[in-house]
Amino acid sequence: MLNLVLFGPPGAGKGTQSQKLIEKYQLVHLSTGDILRNEIANGTQLGIEAKKLMDQGLLVPDEVVIGMISNKLDANRDARGFIFDGFPRTVAQAEALDALLLSKDTSISVMIALNVDDQELEKRLLLRGKDSGRPDDANPEIIRKRIEEYNSKTAPVANFYKSQAKFVSINGIGSIDEIFTEITKVADTF
Ligand code: AMP
């Protein structure tokens, strides 16, 4: 199986690159942000609780997102592989993901990080907020909070994969196709 973790701060281009990767490699796309927004749209209890945190730019609890990923892995037993987008976002999530994959006799192939500086991120997110309709993209304060959450809780996840020699970093500034080519160079080695 090809199991990729696409890593990077909000606005790095993970969603855009995921769309291209699932087409090329026939992977199942698992975006915890998308799953949570779907719960919100359906008005579920989980969605209502998650929205309170998401609207403030804060992470939702580990057990909530781990449970969601576990369900999706179970629901896609015949998948050729997965692309994890926006998950794992904490070291606890990374540990749980390793355990879940191990129980299915598979593992993460590689984490691919998209490198983009904070100034460029803020610019991209505010631009995206104009048509994404996402409340957390519309407010500069919330955007900064999300980047802060990323720097304090999510950035350490890179070390988790580095210690397993499963970490590759790519320049996330450039055209969508240029960045995609760099990602495929890594993915094609598996
Ligand atoms: P995203 O679409 O990945 O930018 O996620 C949007 C928001 O959903 C984040 O700011 C968090 O509030 C929440 N979220 C998404 N994925 C996770 C995760 N793996 N762990 C905790 N919170 C998450």
Side-chain angles (χ1 to χ4, degrees), residues 42-77:
N42 290 328
T44 66
Q45 192 56 40
L46 191 159
I48 292 166
E49 292 302 319
K51 184 171 169 28
K52 293 179 196 159
L53 296 163
M54 291 165 76
D55 283 353
Q56 299 176 71
L58 300 172
L59 294 185
V60 305
D62 287 335
E63 55 276 19
V64 172
V65 286
I66 292 166
M68 290 181 343
I69 289 289
S70 175
N71 290 341
K72 291 286 179 187
L73 292 178
D74 285 341
N76 291 282
R77 286 175 190 278

Side-chain angles (χ1 to χ4, degrees), residues 32-33 36-37 54 58-60 65 86-87 89 93 134 136 146:
T32 39
L36 288 165
R37 280 184 288 277
M54 291 165 76
L58 300 172
L59 294 185
V60 305
V65 286
F87 179 93
R89 253 181 166 97
Q93 292 177 23
R134 283 179 54 171
D136 59 347
R146 286 161 65 201

Side-chain angles (χ1 to χ4, degrees), residues 31-153:
S31 154
T32 39
D34 284 351
I35 301 169
L36 288 165
R37 280 184 288 277
N38 196 37
E39 295 281 340
I40 294 173
N42 290 328
T44 66
Q45 192 56 40
L46 191 159
I48 292 166
E49 292 302 319
K51 184 171 169 28
K52 293 179 196 159
L53 296 163
M54 291 165 76
D55 283 353
Q56 299 176 71
L58 300 172
L59 294 185
V60 305
D62 287 335
E63 55 276 19
V64 172
V65 286
I66 292 166
M68 290 181 343
I69 289 289
S70 175
N71 290 341
K72 291 286 179 187
L73 292 178
D74 285 341
N76 291 282
R77 286 175 190 278
D78 297 331
R80 299 171 65 151
F82 294 92
I83 170 147
F84 297 93
D85 162 9
F87 179 93
R89 253 181 166 97
T90 64
V91 172
Q93 292 177 23
E95 286 167 350
L97 179 60
D98 265 7
L100 283 172
L101 292 176
L102 187 65
S103 74
K104 299 185 187 315
D105 287 325
T106 185
S107 60
I108 289 300
S109 312
V110 67
M111 166 180 266
I112 303 175
L114 300 175
N115 248 326
V116 180
D117 60 82
D118 285 4
Q119 227 185 335
E120 170 75 13
L121 292 176
E122 272 190 49
K123 207 174 74 189
R124 286 190 192 177
L125 288 171
L126 279 171
L127 202 67
R128 184 171 87 183
K130 288 193 181 144
D131 50 28
S132 74
R134 283 179 54 171
D136 59 347
D137 281 346
N139 177 331
E141 229 173 276
I142 307 292
I143 288 176
R144 271 193 285 278
K145 186 75 213 166
R146 286 161 65 201
I147 295 175
E148 231 177 84
E149 284 278 85
Y150 175 83
N151 287 331
S152 65
K153 296 178 185 158

Side-chain angles (χ1 to χ4, degrees), residues 167-180:
F167 180 86
V168 177
S169 179
I170 280 176
N171 179 7
I173 299 185
S175 76
I176 290 173
D177 286 337
E178 274 164 5
I179 297 165
F180 183 64

